[in-house]
């Protein structure tokens, strides 16, 4: 399931038992202590929909769904639309809540405890919370999940990020019926592929897939009973996972990564987490990556200057060129204590080391690859009661 915050590694606070706030507009609500009479299952539109979502991706889908209450024939498609989202903590973090309240759509806080004897189908988009089987079973047509990948490729909370990181040329949207306890494993209701535009970013691709998914969702609602009857299980081949992105992914490995891979990583996570490297043991953030087609090619270098991580300032284009596995990557700005242009970084930090006679210029004119410290595993010896270094112990056993 495509997760809130567009795949960022974050957690939501525990809400506890929060009273469900119901902003009921235009529909009856059962009074406490009175038993609801089960309604007949509808076999055609109009549908009564409960929408689960939180972030900008979900908001774009909701924006398309909300005004689309009628088909082109004039027949009503959506009779009632209500929203379940996270309680307001910081308004900027809750695009779905803001849009729903602004559009006078009834809003329910998560966790959602109210028994459902009204809605026909649930729709979940970028919600990030598992729904119980009890809740799912309350909807006659189940709960549909709109996932921005061609499942089973890129199951998990960050499919768009991983689509770009791995250089996929084709992606798409899949609508599935959700299953409890596991994300993104349900049967496929509808699926559509689309090309990944050249050099697009996560935000740009997210807009394309949200619009595509919203159109697919409307088509699904037009023929909901038929499509539910004809779902197909996901393939057991080609399964890949898209875990949340994190800061550890942002470190550039100049020896191992190609300029194409660095470009893909930058377009995937650069707007959320800047790429990072080390210079003289200080963290440097790399900003404004230059298109590889704009990097000067007619440059003469010595073998030493072609070592991975080597920095070259290209004055004519005000660009820092950094040597990677198969060529040069270019950056217009960096952050070292403060935001610096390429020229500022060169003049303020690099220029002295390029002077003739400098004995440390090789280290100072290269970015280093960050290598996380190896954590030592300790194990308690049953015989002596002492803590043993498992890594060293294993090494000594192997050597002996």
């Amino acid at each position: 399931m495509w997760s809130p915050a567009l795949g960022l590694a974050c957690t939501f606070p525990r809400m506890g038992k929060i009273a469900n706030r119901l902003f009921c507009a235009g529909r009856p609500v059962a009074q406490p202590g009175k038993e609801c009479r089960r309604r007949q299952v509808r076999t055609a539109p109009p549908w009564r929909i409960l929408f689960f979502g939180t972030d900008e991706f979900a908001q774009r889908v909701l924006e398309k769904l909300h005004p689309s209450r009628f088909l082109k024939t004039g027949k009503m498609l959506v009779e009632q639309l209500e929203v379940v989202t996270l309680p307001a903590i910081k308004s900027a973090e809750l695009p779905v809540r803001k849009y729903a309240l602004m559009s006078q759509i009834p809003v329910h806080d998560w966790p959602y405890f109210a028994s459902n004897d009204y809605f026909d189908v649930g729709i979940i988009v970028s919600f990030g919370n598992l729904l119980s089987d009890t809740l799912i079973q309350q909807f006659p047509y189940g709960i549909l999940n709109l996932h921005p990948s061609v499942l089973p490729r890129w199951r998990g909370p960050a499919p768009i990020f991983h689509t770009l990181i791995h250089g996929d040329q084709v992606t798409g949207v899949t609508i599935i019926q959700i299953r409890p306890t596991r994300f993104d494993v349900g049967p496929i209701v509808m699926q559509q592929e689309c090309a990944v535009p050249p050099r697009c970013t996560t935000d740009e691709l997210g807009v394309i897939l949200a619009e595509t998914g919203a159109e697919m969702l409307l088509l699904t609602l037009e023929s909901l009973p038929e499509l539910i009857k004809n779902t197909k299980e996901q393939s057991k081949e080609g399964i890949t996972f898209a875990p949340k992105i994190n800061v550890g992914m942002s470190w550039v490995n100049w020896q191992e990564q190609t300029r194409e891979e660095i470009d893909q990583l930058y377009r995937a996570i650069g707007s959320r987490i800047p790429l990072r490297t080390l210079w003289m043991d200080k963290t440097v953030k790399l900003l404004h990556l230059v298109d590889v087609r704009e990097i000067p090619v007619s440059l003469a270098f010595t073998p030493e200057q072609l070592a991975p991580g080597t920095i070259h300032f290209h004055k004519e284009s005000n660009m820092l060129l950094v040597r990677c596995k198969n060529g040069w990557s270019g950056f217009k700005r960096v952050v070292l204590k403060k935001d610096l242009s390429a020229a500022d970084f060169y003049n303020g930090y690099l220029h002295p080391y390029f002077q003739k006679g400098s004995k440390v210029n090789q280290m100072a004119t290269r970015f280093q690859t960050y290598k996380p410290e190896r954590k030592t595993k300790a194990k308690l010896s049953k015989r002596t009661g002492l803590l043993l270094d498992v890594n060293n112990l294993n090494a000594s056993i192997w050597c002996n």
Side-chain angles (χ1 to χ4, degrees):
M1 181 185 295
W2 172 231
S3 173
L6 294 174
L8 288 175
C10 61
T11 56
F12 299 113
R14 297 180 67 86
M15 302 302 176
K17 288 190 175 181
I18 299 175
N20 221 29
R21 297 204 301 257
L22 303 182
F23 299 84
C24 301
R27 72 173 177 90
V29 180
Q31 297 296 322
K34 292 187 178 181
E35 189 173 323
C36 296
R37 184 172 55 189
R38 187 70 182 177
R39 82 283 191 187
Q40 286 187 330
V41 176
R42 295 188 177 188
T43 58
W47 308 114
R48 295 162 296 193
I49 299 171
L50 189 59
F51 183 96
F52 299 76
T54 56
D55 65 5
E56 291 179 358
F57 185 86
Q59 177 195 335
R60 292 190 183 100
V61 176
L62 183 61
E63 286 178 353
K64 187 75 174 180
L65 180 63
H66 178 230
S68 302
R69 301 220 173 218
F70 292 89
L71 299 169
K72 293 180 180 179
T73 59
K75 186 178 179 180
M76 182 179 286
L77 179 65
V78 179
E79 178 181 308
Q80 183 70 20
L81 175 64
E82 302 186 14
V83 165
V84 175
T85 189
L86 298 179
I89 302 172
K90 296 179 181 179
S91 59
E93 296 177 355
L94 300 165
V96 165
R97 173 179 288 276
K98 290 173 63 177
Y99 176 79
L101 294 177
M102 180 182 67
S103 304
Q104 298 183 330
I105 301 174
V107 176
H108 308 254
D109 281 348
W110 178 262
Y112 183 73
F113 296 118
S115 60
N116 168 41
D117 200 38
Y118 179 77
F119 297 104
D120 304 297
V121 63
I123 294 172
I124 187 166
V125 183
S126 189
F127 191 57
N129 292 276
L130 281 171
L131 274 59
S132 68
D133 185 54
T134 301
L135 178 59
I136 296 170
Q137 294 299 328
Q138 291 182 28
F139 295 83
Y141 292 100
I143 298 179
L144 307 179
N145 173 220
L146 190 156
H147 186 83
S149 80
V150 182
L151 291 172
R153 186 164 178 79
W154 302 135
R155 290 175 176 173
I160 299 179
F161 291 100
H162 286 272
T163 294
L164 296 181
I165 289 172
H166 292 82
D168 291 3
Q169 296 184 355
V170 176
T171 185
V173 176
T174 307
I175 296 176
I176 63 172
Q177 276 190 309
I178 69 168
R179 294 290 181 260
T181 72
R182 294 179 63 194
F183 287 122
D184 309 326
V185 298
I188 296 173
V189 177
M190 183 179 289
Q191 190 171 71
Q192 181 176 321
E193 293 184 352
C194 66
V196 178
R199 299 209 77 248
C200 72
T201 64
T202 290
D203 291 337
E204 292 166 345
L205 185 56
V207 171
I208 293 171
L209 295 181
E211 292 177 353
T212 300
E215 293 291 343
M216 291 171 59
L217 194 56
L218 294 177
L219 291 174
T220 299
L221 292 174
E222 287 185 31
S223 306
L224 184 60
E226 180 183 352
L227 291 174
I228 292 298
K229 288 180 182 178
N230 294 288
T231 60
K232 64 176 182 178
E233 295 298 325
Q234 295 184 31
S235 172
K236 295 182 179 179
E237 298 180 355
I239 298 172
T240 57
F241 296 93
K244 293 178 181 179
I245 64 171
N246 57 71
V247 173
M249 300 169 64
S250 68
W251 293 101
V252 178
N253 188 321
W254 304 109
Q255 287 78 16
E256 298 296 330
Q257 289 178 301
T258 66
R259 62 183 186 176
E260 292 79 16
E261 290 170 339
I262 294 170
D263 179 74
Q264 290 162 193
L265 181 63
Y266 176 82
R267 289 185 288 106
I269 72 173
S271 63
R272 308 296 195 283
I273 306 173
L275 301 193
R276 286 167 166 79
T277 189
L278 292 176
W279 180 79
M280 302 292 280
D281 296 325
K282 298 181 179 68
T283 299
V284 176
K285 297 177 182 178
L286 306 167
L287 310 178
H288 196 154
L289 178 70
V290 178
D291 188 336
V292 294
R293 295 170 295 183
E294 299 176 10
I295 294 177
V297 292
S298 57
L299 299 173
F301 294 101
T302 65
E304 286 185 352
Q305 292 172 325
L306 294 177
T310 298
I311 310 167
H312 174 75
F313 175 60
H314 191 256
K315 186 175 181 180
E316 290 76 9
S317 59
N318 190 20
M319 183 190 309
L320 285 177
L321 298 177
V322 188
R323 187 71 182 181
C324 58
K325 183 178 180 179
N326 69 336
W328 297 91
S329 290
F331 299 89
K332 291 279 191 178
R333 292 166 46 229
V334 300
V335 175
L336 178 57
K337 296 182 180 179
K338 63 180 181 179
D339 196 321
L340 301 167
S341 68
D344 290 337
F345 180 70
Y346 173 76
N347 292 328
Y349 294 92
L350 297 181
H351 184 262
Y353 298 106
F354 277 93
Q355 302 304 305
K356 291 182 179 180
S358 173
K359 296 181 180 180
V360 293
N361 62 345
Q362 287 190 1
M363 279 294 296
T365 58
R366 291 178 187 169
F367 285 141
Q368 293 86 46
T369 295
Y370 171 76
K371 296 180 180 179
E373 294 183 6
R374 186 179 180 185
K375 294 183 179 179
T376 302
K377 295 181 179 180
K379 184 177 181 180
L380 187 66
S381 170
K382 293 182 179 179
R383 183 170 64 86
T384 65
L386 299 175
L387 287 174
L388 302 177
D389 184 338
V390 175
N391 294 327
N392 292 335
L393 179 63
N394 291 339
S396 64
I397 293 172
W398 177 261
C399 292
N400 293 333

